[in-house]
Every structure is written in structure tokens, then in C-alpha cells.
Amino acid sequence: MLSRSHLRCSLPAFIIYGLVLQVQELQSAPFNVTGPPEPITVAVGEDVVLPCRFSPTQSAQDVEVTWFRDHFSPFVHRYKGGQDQYGEQMLQYQGRTELLKDGLAKGSVDLKIFRIQMSDRGNYTCFVQRGSDYDEAVVELQVTASGSAPLIVLERYQDGGIRVACRSDGWYPQPQVLWQDPHGRHLPSLSENVTQDKSGLFAAESSIILTRDVNQKLSCSVHHALHSQERGSSFYISDPFFQNARPWMTALGVVLVAVGAFLIIAVYLYKIKGKHEKKLAIQEAALRDRDAEIEKQAGELGEYCSPSYRGEASAGPISHLGFAPWRRYAVPIAEVNVVLDPDTAHCDLVLSDDCKSVKREDTRQDIPDIPERFNPWRCVLGREGFTSGRYYWEVEAVDGGGWTVGVSRKDVKRKGEIEFKPEEGIWAVGQWAGHFQALTFPNRTLLPEIQTPKRIRVSLDYDEGRVAFFSVDEEIPIFTFPLASFEGVKVHPWVWLGPGTWLKMWP
């Protein structure tokens, strides 16, 4: 048994030993940034706080925080060196953001956005850096808008009753219009129509036939699922309004419409009778011109696909893609077998054994941070580069969220903040925050008419300075950058991966 004096001597040493263990645990703990597991929902015009936390929390005064959307710069809000930075803030957020610094000591870097607008909805990235450690988390913001109270309009007599419409606008997300009888039972609508204006707000309209005694009293309600917001109106039509709702009126209307249509057709046929032969002659001339143009294009395609033009020993069969007009000048001669270069891959990217596919794991690998390696952006280059010639390869987005694919100059910046744009040596397209876009500068070019492809063909004509992209899924062109001069610098295949993304190179 230990004596009382021995315990008094051992107690301070025990306390010091415990404190040393705690410090060692804090120092060895990995730096981690987390956001909320579910989207944050807020109504238009209200303020919102986007939560974000980092751990461990020691040395919080040295933390640098950047909230951004599609790209690192321009940003939504930045905190660096103990002060807010506004030099490169996005125009739409100026005067509307605040980093809640009271929580910094506890590992909280929440961002408050004032007076929410419809354009604020989407994904936000919380990027936190402390010394050489950094991490990021994505926070989704959903914006709702409650529209106007339903307006009920009596439109016309139809099918022995009265056609009634219920209209409401100013909603987000898309609302649902419901009809109910006095007992709360839902009634089927005759027609429904939903439209969306330039600001993104929805307007909804639904119609129903109101008949005497059966459903003279009804209510119309409009609501959306988020926040369970709802607006409604009720109405009642008395018997005198149904006196003119007679079936014979409908029949008479149909007859009058038919007679009117017959008269219009007769007049139209009379007027065009004298011009018919002249139009036929014009059409025949147009057909002859079109046939001549087709023969000319076929000759050009035959010359392009011939062995002498393509530099091949013998002409092989022409694929179904070979006859598309845009491929006459866009498809390079050589198909490239792209192998990714592990020496350039960010430490969170895991390459397959054959270096033909890459997956973002967000688990830092214990590999040296050599000058060729991208950091902190999750990028990787193809091993082979080009200084002349025409080439193409394909990239398949097997799984995940955001990604961009394209080409990069060999001398592109590898460390620190990088802007994905031609002026920095990157020509690419990709999917991020729900938008498919080309990474042009100063503004990104949104491509809403293009369905985000699963497989993209990247086309490089080094000598001409052309970088173009095509959808293999739809067999259509996506985007072609303005001609560039690579100035003799080697150009490599290049990709960037968002959280959880997996890309595969073809062939």
C-alpha cells in the first residue's frame, strides 16, 4: 500500500502526464471540416446561417476561411489574418454576408447571409485552412417562396357546367394545386399548367368543371412540400348562374366553329389555286440545289476519310459518327490512350492500378508533396503531353457529384489558389452545383440546353489551337473554345474531381 506522502508526491506528476497525453492526442488528431447532413431551407427575404465546423480547435486564431460556390475566386466570403477580406467578393453578396466570429474558438465558422434571394440557392463550399492543414465541406441551401393567395376565375360554360380556374404565382419550389369539396375530399382537375419566370418563381393554374347541386361549393389550395406552406380560397356559385349552361349551346358552338373553318378553308384554297404551279417550280429548283450541295459534302467527306488524307495504310469502315458534319473538322486523327500521372495527383485522389481511372476519397494518402503534385485542388494530369498534332480521348463520369474535364498546359500552377480558365492554361467543361458549364472567363458559360453527358469526348488540335468537347451520349457538339496559342508548351489531359466523384478514361 502507498503511503500518504508517496501519493502527495505522485499526484502532480500524474496530472502533468495526463495533460501531456491530451496535447499529444490533439496534435495527432486529423484536421476535419464538417457541414450539416441535411440541406438548409429558408424563405425568400429572410436571413440564414450556413453551419460549418472544424476540429481540432486549437490555434483557432490562425484559421483562414473561404466560403465559395462554383469556384474559389471570386468568393462568397473570406476571413484571413484575423480580418474579413472583400477584395474579390462576388458582386451579388457584397454587403450581405457576415462570418460569425464568436464561434471561432469553439471551431465554428458559420456564415450568415442577409436578405436571401432566389439566386442564392445551391451548394456552398466551406474551405478551412490552418497552416499546412486544410479541408472542406459542402452545404446545400434550399430557398422557398410562398406565392399569392389563389385567384378564382369563372371562365365559361362547358359540358353542362361552369369552367372555373384557380391561379396563383410567386412560388418556389414548384407548387401543387388541389381542389376539395366541403367534406375535404380531393377532386380531380380538368387541366393543370405550371410555368416558371426568369427569376425562377413558379405560377400554377388548375381548372375544374362546376355543376349544379354536385359541387357548387369548392375550395382551392396551393402548397409546396418545403415548410408545408399553403394558401387557399373557397367559393360558392348559386343556381341562377347555371341556367345558361345548356348542352345545345355547346353543340351550336361546335357547328358554328365547323362552318367558320369550312369557309376559311374554301377562301384559302381559292386564293392559292393560281399560285400552286409557281410554288411547285420553286420547290423543284430548291431540291436540285439541295441535291447538288449534298453531293459536294459527300465528296468532301470521302476525301477526309480516304487513306491518303488520314495517313492510314488502308481505309477502314466509316462509323456512324463519321458522317456528322461537325466531325469533318473536329475529330482528331489520333485516338489517345490516356494514362494518368500519379506524380501530379492530389493526395486525396486514388488512381487504379492501370492509372486509367481516378476516384476522390477525401482520405489523405501518405505521399510526398512534390512540386509536380496539385495542392490543395483535387486535380491530376495525363502522363503523355502533346506539342503538335490532332488527338482525342473520352472521359466517363462513373459516379459522384461535381467534375471538370479538359486540357492543361504543362506549366499550369500546381500550388495554392488556381482559377480554372484559359488565361491560367486550363480549357475545360464540367458539372458543378447543378449546372453544366464551360469554364470561360470572366464569366462561366452555362450550357442549359445540353443534358449533362455521362461520357465526353475531348478534342485537341494543337497546331490550330482548337479545344472542343462533344457528347458521346447524344452524338452532338458541346462547346468549342476560341482559338488559342499554346506557344510550344506541352499540353496534357486534365481533370478535377468534386467530393465522391469517380472518372474513367477511354479507351
Side-chain angles (χ1 to χ4, degrees):
M1 178 178 294
L2 295 175
S3 65
R4 182 173 300 175
S5 62
H6 188 194
L7 286 174
R8 285 197 299 269
C9 294
S10 301
L11 182 59
F14 178 76
I15 294 175
I16 293 174
Y17 178 72
L19 291 175
V20 170
L21 286 179
Q22 290 182 356
V23 171
Q24 290 178 345
E25 289 179 358
L26 288 174
Q27 290 177 346
S28 62
F31 189 73
N32 187 38
V33 175
T34 57
E38 301 294 335
I40 304 299
T41 304
V42 64
V44 169
E46 296 182 357
D47 302 339
V48 68
V49 173
L50 303 182
C52 182
R53 298 187 60 83
F54 67 90
S55 62
T57 60
Q58 73 270 22
S59 302
Q61 65 272 16
D62 298 330
V63 166
E64 297 181 11
V65 183
T66 301
W67 282 88
F68 65 94
R69 297 197 67 177
D70 293 350
H71 298 281
F72 201 79
S73 179
F75 50 76
V76 176
H77 193 96
R78 176 173 292 171
Y79 174 82
K80 183 177 181 180
Q83 294 183 342
D84 295 308
Q85 308 290 327
Y86 298 103
E88 299 180 38
Q89 188 177 33
M90 295 175 67
L91 181 63
Q92 74 178 85
Y93 294 99
Q94 292 181 4
R96 297 177 51 228
T97 62
E98 177 187 0
L99 189 74
L100 303 182
K101 305 177 187 63
D102 294 342
L104 277 174
K106 299 179 181 179
S108 173
V109 287
D110 298 349
L111 178 69
K112 187 173 185 179
I113 305 178
F114 301 92
R115 305 178 300 279
I116 286 296
Q117 307 167 3
M118 287 301 303
S119 58
D120 295 334
R121 67 186 188 275
N123 289 343
Y124 291 74
T125 300
C126 173
F127 182 89
V128 184
Q129 184 171 0
R130 185 181 61 197
S132 61
D133 294 327
Y134 59 88
D135 198 10
E136 64 184 32
V138 176
V139 181
E140 181 182 356
L141 176 62
Q142 295 181 346
V143 179
T144 67
S146 295
S148 61
L151 174 66
I152 298 174
V153 179
L154 305 182
E155 292 187 322
R156 60 182 179 271
Y157 292 108
Q158 181 176 334
D159 300 334
I162 300 176
R163 183 185 176 105
V164 182
C166 177
R167 302 168 183 168
S168 181
D169 55 18
W171 292 84
Y172 193 90
Q174 180 173 324
Q176 183 180 15
V177 182
L178 297 176
W179 295 95
Q180 290 180 313
D181 64 14
H183 304 289
R185 293 178 298 226
H186 292 296
L187 300 175
S189 61
L190 180 67
S191 65
E192 297 180 356
N193 184 36
V194 178
T195 58
Q196 190 174 20
D197 60 23
K198 295 181 179 179
S199 65
L201 297 177
F202 288 94
E205 177 177 337
S206 178
S207 299
I208 196 171
I209 300 296
L210 193 65
T211 56
R212 178 185 293 180
D213 298 331
V214 177
N215 52 6
Q216 290 180 240
K217 184 177 181 180
L218 290 178
S219 63
C220 171
S221 61
V222 185
H223 70 94
H224 58 59
L226 297 180
H227 282 185
S228 300
Q229 296 168 333
E230 179 176 310
R231 294 181 181 272
S233 298
S234 300
F235 64 99
Y236 176 81
I237 299 181
S238 59
D239 288 344
F241 285 93
F242 292 94
Q243 292 179 359
N244 292 326
R246 297 287 188 269
W248 62 267
M249 294 185 64
T250 302
L252 178 60
V254 172
V255 172
L256 292 176
V257 170
V259 171
F262 176 79
L263 292 176
I264 292 174
I265 293 173
V267 172
Y268 176 77
L269 292 176
Y270 177 79
K271 287 184 177 181
I272 68 172
K273 181 179 180 181
K275 302 178 181 179
H276 184 63
E277 294 181 356
K278 182 179 179 180
K279 286 187 177 181
L280 285 176
I282 294 175
Q283 290 175 357
E284 290 176 356
L287 287 174
R288 287 193 298 271
D289 293 340
R290 186 193 66 180
D291 292 339
E293 179 64 21
I294 290 175
E295 291 178 1
K296 179 181 178 182
Q297 292 183 4
E300 293 175 354
L301 282 173
E303 179 184 356
Y304 175 81
C305 296
S306 67
S308 60
Y309 184 88
R310 299 174 60 185
E312 298 174 347
S314 62
I318 302 175
S319 69
H320 65 287
L321 293 177
F323 287 106
W326 49 271
R327 293 187 181 271
R328 289 163 50 195
Y329 61 86
V331 175
I333 301 251
E335 183 179 31
V336 180
N337 182 18
V338 175
V339 176
L340 300 175
D341 186 356
D343 289 339
T344 66
H346 184 276
C347 57
D348 286 350
L349 301 183
V350 178
L351 274 61
S352 61
D353 293 339
D354 60 358
C355 293
K356 295 285 292 180
S357 63
V358 56
K359 187 174 184 180
R360 176 169 169 177
E361 296 286 359
D362 285 330
T363 301
R364 190 168 304 173
Q365 303 175 84
D366 186 15
I367 53 179
D369 188 14
I370 57 179
E372 294 83 0
R373 194 177 307 284
F374 285 94
N375 189 5
W377 291 98
R378 277 74 168 181
C379 304
V380 61
L381 294 180
R383 183 176 296 167
E384 181 183 1
F386 315 102
T387 55
S388 64
R390 305 168 71 186
Y391 309 91
Y392 76 90
W393 60 92
E394 295 176 359
V395 185
E396 180 180 0
V398 180
D399 194 11
W403 49 266
T404 55
V405 301
V407 301
S408 166
R409 287 167 50 119
K410 183 177 181 179
D411 58 0
V412 70
K413 186 177 178 182
R414 308 291 177 94
K415 308 297 183 183
E417 298 180 9
I418 308 172
E419 290 193 50
F420 300 162
K421 60 183 181 181
E423 288 75 8
E424 295 292 335
I426 294 175
W427 294 260
V429 299
Q431 170 76 13
W432 179 250
H435 298 292
F436 186 56
Q437 54 193 302
L439 306 188
T440 53
F441 185 81
N443 297 315
R444 306 294 181 236
T445 300
L446 298 181
L447 305 170
E449 71 282 0
I450 303 294
Q451 183 177 0
T452 303
K454 292 294 184 182
R455 192 161 169 174
I456 288 182
R457 173 168 289 191
V458 184
S459 169
L460 169 65
D461 187 334
Y462 189 99
D463 300 322
E464 189 177 353
R466 183 189 304 276
V467 181
F469 300 86
F470 308 94
S471 170
V472 179
D473 307 336
E474 302 291 334
E475 299 183 7
I476 59 173
I478 295 176
F479 187 81
T480 300
F481 280 88
L483 297 182
S485 175
F486 301 124
E487 301 173 347
V489 179
K490 188 172 289 188
V491 174
H492 292 258
W494 171 93
V495 297
W496 169 85
L497 290 82
T501 301
W502 180 20
L503 296 179
K504 185 175 181 180
M505 316 303 293
W506 292 88

